[in-house]
Amino acid sequence: MEKQQSELERDRQYCELCGKMENLLKCGRCRSSFYCSKEHQKQHWKKHKLICKEADRAQVSRQKPGQAPPPGDETAPEKGGEKRIPEQAESASPPRNSSTEAPEVGDRVGEDGSNNTATPNGQTSSSPQKLAMEYIVPCMNKHGICVVDNFLGADTGMGILENVKALHKSGKFTDGQLVSQKSDSTKDIRGDKITWIEGREAGCEKILFLMSRMDDLIRHCNGKLGNYTINGRTKAMVACYPGNGTRYVRHVDNPNGDGRCVTCIYYLNKDWNAKEHGGLLRVFPEGKAQFADIEPKFDRLLLFWSDRRNPHEVQPAFATRYAITVWYFDADERARAKGKYLTAAGEKGVKVELNKSTDPS
């Protein structure tokens, strides 16, 4: 039962109203729906209350007679008939029979004690295989987007950041180009500066390690991500938005079938404050009214489908913003694209043996 609840939490890690995937709070009653704020929970309560009640009743029915409510259930009365306020909740829930007001949102995702190895977005600090199979595969197949925090740890992340800063200082970054055009209008569309890294270059050892860890994750996911068979990837695109409001307007990575199926981005920005620094990646999942705002936080890994299902934009950045992006190829689509004009991105492509570990050590 605990395993089922854990899988449910991982599978629904987005705000029910706006689709935001960060700093989420649980509904204090059903504990299976998430919101980015109390305000959004209240706005969504008219639709959510029927489902919330069903989940609430199901939770009660699973308890044995005389059994105490599960830990963290703030709707359970304690001595004196008062409602208990959990440590992470901001306030207590209203009475159980309230049908007009939403219960207060409860714990931050992954902080309720039900899985003490979980990090704020639900993934566990376990092996790449377990992370891939229990978190990334179900999340991608349901939502088409997946966030993994604390991917490599602070020390490794700092080593990668040092590699990137050294590259930037060396002057090897050039203006980002568009696959479809090269013109003076490019800067109006994207303001980043980039360089492509294979990983064997001097001073890029930590970047190579990151790429190997990405490859390991995809290797464990391979054959289970949609209908794709992944057999290669691009080199790593190291990008820097230098601040001053630089951005990348709404676009699709692979609108015309060049073979790229999964976009994988690693962020390197210490102490990033979106309110002050901007630079959010806003994703507009196809067919959904919600959008997802992803902060480019240090040691965060983001995966999403590369095709028309995920138009996205980088909002104006007002501080230096670093990211490393790798795109993985679907074998069939890549084969069809070869020899056509669509392979501009493929010039950066390399074959990756995904049937064995890619650990450079």
Side-chain angles (χ1 to χ4, degrees):
M1 189 63 67
E2 290 181 359
K3 182 178 180 180
Q4 291 176 351
Q5 290 173 340
S6 178
E7 290 174 351
L8 178 62
E9 289 176 4
R10 287 196 297 266
D11 212 25
R12 299 186 62 185
Q13 52 154 8
Y14 59 91
C15 175
E16 296 283 354
L17 184 65
C18 70
K20 186 175 180 180
M21 303 177 76
E22 299 170 332
N23 300 319
L24 299 178
L25 294 159
K26 287 184 187 177
C27 171
R29 173 175 287 166
C30 68
R31 304 183 68 79
S32 61
S33 292
F34 305 132
Y35 296 92
C36 64
S37 67
K38 291 189 292 184
E39 289 73 20
H40 277 198
Q41 188 207 24
K42 290 176 181 177
Q43 292 177 35
H44 191 252
W45 177 240
K46 186 175 180 180
K47 292 183 177 180
H48 176 61
K49 63 181 178 181
L50 296 177
I51 300 174
C52 183
K53 287 180 179 179
E54 291 174 1
D56 194 29
R57 284 195 293 267
Q59 184 183 66
V60 172
S61 66
R62 286 195 298 267
Q63 297 173 21
K64 298 178 182 179
Q67 181 181 0
D73 184 1
E74 60 273 285
T75 62
E78 291 200 343
K79 293 181 180 180
E82 296 179 354
K83 310 298 179 184
R84 179 170 61 84
I85 303 175
E87 292 180 3
Q88 290 86 0
E90 296 180 7
S91 59
S93 300
R96 273 191 183 276
N97 60 4
S98 172
S99 60
T100 58
E101 296 184 24
E104 296 291 340
V105 282
D107 306 325
R108 293 282 174 187
V109 180
E111 294 180 358
D112 65 338
S114 61
N115 181 359
N116 57 17
T117 64
T119 54
N121 280 296
Q123 71 278 7
T124 57
S125 53
S126 56
S127 67
Q129 182 175 7
K130 188 173 182 180
L131 177 62
M133 296 306 300
E134 295 188 4
Y135 177 65
I136 293 176
V137 167
C139 190
M140 284 289 289
N141 286 334
K142 181 165 185 177
H143 304 299
I145 183 171
C146 183
V147 176
V148 180
D149 279 335
N150 308 311
F151 179 51
L152 297 176
D155 291 343
T156 302
M158 284 302 300
I160 298 168
L161 179 58
E162 289 171 3
N163 279 184
V164 169
K165 285 183 174 180
L167 280 173
H168 192 197
K169 188 176 181 180
S170 71
K172 294 182 179 179
F173 283 64
T174 59
D175 289 341
Q177 297 288 346
L178 304 178
V179 170
S180 59
Q181 69 182 78
K182 295 182 179 181
S183 70
D184 293 337
S185 65
T186 297
K187 287 186 178 181
D188 296 330
I189 298 174
R190 62 183 297 183
D192 58 335
K193 295 183 178 295
I194 67 170
T195 188
W196 292 92
I197 297 297
E198 183 178 353
R200 304 291 178 182
E201 298 87 345
C204 295
E205 293 80 10
K206 297 298 183 180
I207 297 176
L208 176 61
F209 180 80
L210 166 66
M211 295 160 71
S212 75
R213 295 283 75 81
M214 289 178 171
D215 291 346
D216 280 345
L217 275 186
I218 297 299
R219 175 169 58 89
H220 291 303
C221 293
N222 204 11
K224 301 176 181 66
L225 289 174
N227 297 317
Y228 296 122
T229 299
I230 297 174
N231 69 340
R233 59 160 167 77
T234 65
K235 297 178 182 179
M237 185 187 78
V238 184
C240 170
Y241 288 83
N244 303 315
T246 45
R247 61 173 184 154
Y248 196 156
V249 301
R250 183 168 172 170
H251 65 284
V252 173
D253 285 352
N254 177 18
N256 299 310
D258 64 24
R260 291 178 291 171
C261 60
V262 175
T263 300
C264 194
I265 307 176
Y266 182 73
Y267 293 111
L268 287 158
N269 308 294
K270 295 283 289 183
D271 304 317
W272 192 265
N273 183 331
K275 290 183 178 180
E276 178 182 352
H277 302 141
L280 290 172
L281 182 77
R282 176 165 288 182
V283 186
F284 304 86
E286 183 183 50
K288 296 183 180 180
Q290 305 100 332
F291 54 82
D293 279 342
I294 311 298
E295 293 187 26
K297 291 183 177 180
F298 180 77
D299 200 27
R300 167 171 284 175
L301 185 71
L302 170 67
L303 303 93
F304 57 88
W305 303 132
S306 305
D307 58 20
R308 293 175 182 269
R309 286 173 288 181
N310 284 314
H312 55 282
E313 66 186 18
V314 177
Q315 297 187 332
F318 300 98
T320 302
R321 179 188 187 275
Y322 290 115
I324 299 176
T325 304
V326 167
W327 288 271
Y328 286 89
F329 293 125
D330 172 63
D332 291 340
E333 183 179 314
R334 180 69 175 154
R336 292 193 298 269
K338 280 187 175 180
K340 298 181 180 180
Y341 72 96
L342 297 173
T343 58
E347 293 174 2
K348 314 300 181 184
V350 295
K351 185 175 181 180
V352 177
E353 296 293 340
L354 292 171
N355 59 350
K356 62 182 180 179
S357 175
T358 54
D359 189 340
S361 62

